[in-house]
Amino acid sequence: MLVVRVVTVGRARLVGAAVRRRLLSALTGSAPTASILDTPARCNSQLAADAHRSRHKNVITGPDAVALRLHRGHLVVQHPRWPVDDAFFSLAWLWDHCRCRHCYDDSTFQRKTDVRQLSSVGNPLQFNVNSTGTVLEIIWHDGHQSEYSLQWLWENSYVGARHREQRQSRLWQRCLWDGRRTSAVDLTSVVYDSFMTTEEGVRRLMKGFLTHGAAVVTGVAPTPAATQAVVERVGVVQHTMFGGVWEFTADGRHADTAYGRDELLPHTDGTYYSEPPGVQVFHCLAHHGHGGETTLVDGFAALHALHQADPAAYELLSRVPCAGEYRDPSRRLHMVGDGPVIAHRAGAEPAPDSLLRLRFNPYDRAAARRGEPAEVEAFYGAYGRLTELLWDERRRLRLKLRPGTVILIDNWRVLHGRAAFTGRRHMCGAYMARSDVLSRARSVGLLI
Ligand SMILES: [Fe+2]
Ligand SMILES: [Zn+2]
């Protein structure tokens, strides 16, 4: 016979399933809304078998037919509107996510939970769903009371992850491109006034930026101040050794090829930083001369191609460090940034679906002195293969930046280059940290 234990705060009783409901009524003074069940300690194999049997025997359903039960350190929720049979919530996770005033500060959105307690969270004394079927209420072994909106639980739990991904994919989807099928007119373009005065303008620009890795604002006054206003509408100027909003003409002021007139093949910037800038902003304030077209390459599209053609090269470039450096002794600068050429989202498989960042700047590579000596040749083979893909002219999107057009480029995905030019070319621009830009995208509902 299956024995269940019903526990009240501070007092435990062993009862049979038949009296459970009556006892609950007496304890709460109202009709029970869900189960108060706790399987006694058993070995794991017994528990697994019991879990299967108990699914129908031990469950009391509450309002809206929400059913709760305990199983091996988890609260299992069956909700008629959740597209999973059983939603498992670790008790430690539930404890950690209590939003009562002792555990969470609503005004600062910060936790106050003592995380040292989380490895030994005991079974709760009581748990139920409230009378409207919207809130899970738990009384823990020490009398602490937690309440969770079931909606919040679904939206923030592991079990809702797939659902969240589906919702996210309906908001925007990354669109891979190359120069054969995509041109500058395919990039999202938002007029300055709409961008500066409406959230919808910001949303359109951000959506285009996330989708294609680049987007433009038109009708901007050709000044550094107006460029800065564009930047600050969606983030913060990231200060570097080049300044905040930088300005340059081809005068060789910095020890960098970008400050010359020669062609620059596509690359990403800041491979010499621990975290390369997330966004590159350019504004051509004036150009009296020829050439100087900007080239863009979708690095992620090239990485998809590399993964398909040469998965071993892709794997190697995802693993072997490739440091970049920036040296300017006159300013006592020697920056070194390390990391693999290809990076993926934390915890995800190293595959194109989970791409996070491409660091690619052959010009700025530091002396290669880390990694396995036996892999050196394989690394050059893989890096060369990737370079062939990234520098394939058919991948390049070309555009002539003109005064009034500000372009934002995802420096973790899209490479930029520049054709050689003549005459006086006056540029300004800025870097932005990725976190700031993603924060803004979240503020207009584009990131869940
Ligand atoms: Fe650059
Ligand atoms: Zn709490």
Side-chain angles (χ1 to χ4, degrees):
M1 186 186 85
L2 184 66
V3 175
V4 296
R5 194 175 62 198
V6 175
V7 186
T8 64
V9 181
R11 195 157 58 111
R13 304 177 191 182
L14 285 174
V15 296
V19 298
R20 197 172 53 235
R21 273 179 182 277
R22 198 150 32 89
L23 182 62
L24 282 172
S25 300
L27 288 170
T28 61
S30 62
T33 53
S35 62
I36 300 181
L37 301 174
D38 181 9
T39 45
R42 296 162 192 235
C43 73
N44 284 349
S45 57
Q46 275 178 313
L47 278 171
D50 289 349
H52 182 72
R53 283 198 299 274
S54 72
R55 189 138 161 205
H56 301 292
K57 284 189 175 176
N58 275 7
V59 171
I60 296 175
T61 56
D64 208 15
V66 178
L68 308 173
R69 72 180 194 280
L70 285 181
H71 178 61
R72 294 170 68 178
H74 291 75
L75 181 69
V76 186
V77 180
Q78 287 180 293
H79 194 296
R81 290 199 299 278
W82 292 359
V84 291
D85 289 340
D86 288 325
F88 284 75
F89 293 92
S90 150
L91 295 175
W93 186 93
L94 285 168
W95 181 286
D96 187 31
H97 289 79
C98 178
R99 289 296 190 250
C100 83
R101 63 189 172 84
H102 301 292
C103 299
Y104 194 75
D105 186 332
D106 269 332
S107 62
T108 65
F109 305 100
Q110 288 179 296
R111 297 177 193 234
K112 298 196 278 187
T113 315
D114 181 350
V115 294
R116 292 170 295 186
Q117 299 173 316
L118 296 176
S119 59
S120 57
V121 174
N123 281 352
L125 302 178
Q126 187 172 327
F127 52 90
N128 58 267
V129 172
N130 72 343
S131 57
T132 58
T134 54
V135 175
L136 167 66
E137 300 166 339
I138 295 180
I139 299 176
W140 297 96
H141 56 85
D142 63 352
H144 188 95
Q145 297 186 27
S146 300
E147 290 188 355
Y148 311 84
S149 146
L150 285 168
Q151 181 67 23
W152 186 92
L153 277 183
W154 175 249
E155 288 174 357
N156 290 281
S157 62
Y158 298 117
V159 291
R162 234 181 104 199
H163 178 76
R164 280 196 299 277
E165 282 169 19
Q166 286 167 355
R167 269 175 59 214
Q168 178 67 64
S169 69
R170 285 195 288 272
L171 293 171
W172 60 272
Q173 284 186 8
R174 181 179 291 154
C175 173
L176 300 175
W177 51 265
D178 69 35
R180 283 165 290 198
R181 288 180 287 275
T182 303
S183 69
V185 295
D186 296 313
L187 298 179
T188 297
S189 169
V190 182
V191 177
Y192 181 80
D193 286 343
S194 155
F195 173 71
M196 293 302 289
T197 57
T198 69
E199 285 296 280
E200 180 52 28
V202 170
R203 191 175 193 278
R204 278 190 54 225
L205 184 97
M206 289 274 94
K207 186 173 176 179
F209 174 84
L210 294 166
T211 304
H212 291 106
V216 298
V217 181
T218 59
V220 185
T223 64
T227 310
Q228 182 167 346
V230 168
V231 168
E232 291 176 348
R233 182 81 175 131
V234 286
V236 179
V237 173
Q238 182 178 353
H239 284 252
T240 66
M241 65 267 206
F242 303 109
V245 173
W246 44 257
E247 259 187 276
F248 75 80
T249 50
D251 60 3
R253 184 153 46 99
H254 293 283
D256 195 293
T257 47
Y259 290 82
R261 289 191 173 84
D262 298 334
E263 178 186 26
L264 287 175
L265 289 169
H267 60 276
T268 64
D269 272 15
T271 54
Y272 38 78
Y273 289 122
S274 309
E275 180 174 297
V279 181
Q280 166 84 269
V281 180
F282 286 132
H283 190 182
C284 179
L285 303 178
H287 183 201
H288 305 289
H290 298 287
E293 291 85 4
T294 295
T295 53
L296 301 177
V297 174
D298 186 351
F300 284 6
L303 289 177
H304 274 257
L306 179 70
H307 188 263
Q308 207 161 34
D310 192 343
Y314 184 98
E315 186 278 330
L316 195 134
L317 294 173
S318 303
R319 178 169 50 81
V320 173
C322 177
E325 72 175 346
Y326 179 95
R327 301 181 78 148
D328 184 350
S330 69
R331 298 172 67 197
R332 297 193 187 89
L333 289 171
H334 188 177
M335 329 283 296
V336 177
D338 210 350
V341 175
I342 308 170
H344 300 89
R345 290 196 303 271
E349 286 292 309
D353 283 348
S354 54
L355 276 169
L356 174 71
R357 179 178 57 229
L358 169 63
R359 305 167 85 113
F360 180 80
N361 192 329
Y363 304 113
D364 289 344
R365 285 177 304 124
R369 56 190 188 191
R370 289 186 54 214
E372 292 296 321
E375 285 190 316
V376 169
E377 282 186 31
F379 176 82
Y380 285 127
Y383 199 83
R385 191 100 199 247
L386 175 63
T387 306
E388 271 173 29
L389 288 167
L390 292 171
W391 284 357
D392 181 339
E393 293 206 18
R394 292 169 297 181
R395 291 191 174 277
R396 291 183 201 167
L397 184 156
R398 293 164 210 280
L399 69 158
K400 176 74 179 166
L401 295 179
R402 300 192 185 282
T405 297
V406 173
I407 185 164
L408 288 83
I409 303 165
D410 181 345
N411 187 54
W412 285 16
R413 168 183 169 186
V414 171
L415 288 68
H416 62 276
R418 180 198 68 203
F421 65 92
T422 62
R424 185 172 179 280
R425 188 167 180 260
H426 186 189
M427 295 288 295
C428 85
Y431 290 129
M432 303 170 75
R434 187 167 200 80
S435 303
D436 293 318
V437 177
L438 296 188
S439 161
R440 192 66 168 104
R442 219 167 269 121
S443 79
V444 288
L446 291 170
L447 293 173
I448 292 175

